Amino acid sequence: MTDTPAPKPKSRLARAWDSDFAWNFRHSPVAVVSFVVTAILLLSALFAPLLATMNPFDPANLNLLNGFVAPNTPSEFTGETFLMGTDDQGRDVYSTILYGMRISLFVGFAAVALGLFIGVSLGLISGYFGGWTDTIIMRIADVQLTFPSILVAMLIFGVAKGFTPVEYRDQLAIWVLILSIGLSDWVQFARVVRGATMVEKNKEYVQAARLIGRKSFPIMIRHILPNVLSPVLVIATISLALAIIAEATLSYLGVGAPPTQPSLGTLIRIGQGFLFSGEWWILFFPSVTLLTLALAVNLLGDWLRDALNPKLR
């Protein structure tokens, strides 16, 4: 009697595809649609130089004769047709959206990364050491939570811009915007990580690490941090949508991205000035893009929160 050969072990990709997380994703239409929409918008922004019909922020490409051309309508002077029309300077609205989305997404990702780094670091320190360290950090967080985040971001943006030399303000405006949004968004990361750290530090594996002589910071980084990342990733996904909206709000108010590097918020602010004169497309298409991007990322974050919640399994 011959022995039956052992089945070939599945590859890592196959095991991931068969996991509960992947099964949940495949059977959630909202998650699939939001992921596809988010991926399309991200790739469109990433490959904007290849997909755009022009670089709308290069003065050499501007033609004022093409100003205020309606969507999919030939220009009276040049005969050119633009899918989403043009603005007052003759810039293709479709191209401005692609390039503006690059700025919005870059600011959103960078601001969330900054807030995540600060919040996770302070949350680990606060939850692990406790005492006066915990009290000081959490009281600062409580004070910041009493103010709307957009007002905190505006305050930080104004202060940081005041310290920036005038000749460098336009060049550094994007980085100042990232700093202001990131510093206004660290609190929620810190509070979640602090609570999870207070639970994890009393478990047996942490006690064992202490007994063998490991220092506090290696324990926090190598043992506790990997076990508190699940809720952090969920918050980061939802915070990305909020950061994009915050950037758009600041830019719409005129304290965000400069005119030389307009984001979706700047494009919406520009389009709002022409809404009542009949050029509705200058405002409509950037607004729909921002709404679609924020909604898709937010829905993806909501699904991720439910999928990683053990109480719902």
Side-chain angles (χ1 to χ4, degrees), residues 98-120:
L98 293 180
Y99 277 84
M101 195 160 50
R102 299 184 87 188
I103 301 296
S104 295
L105 286 170
F106 173 72
V107 171
F109 276 108
V112 169
L114 177 61
L116 186 149
F117 175 77
I118 296 174
V120 170

Side-chain angles (χ1 to χ4, degrees), residues 224-244:
I224 296 179
L225 180 59
N227 290 288
V228 301
L229 282 182
S230 293
V232 170
L233 294 177
V234 175
I235 295 175
T237 305
I238 298 176
S239 295
L240 176 60
L242 298 178
I244 292 172

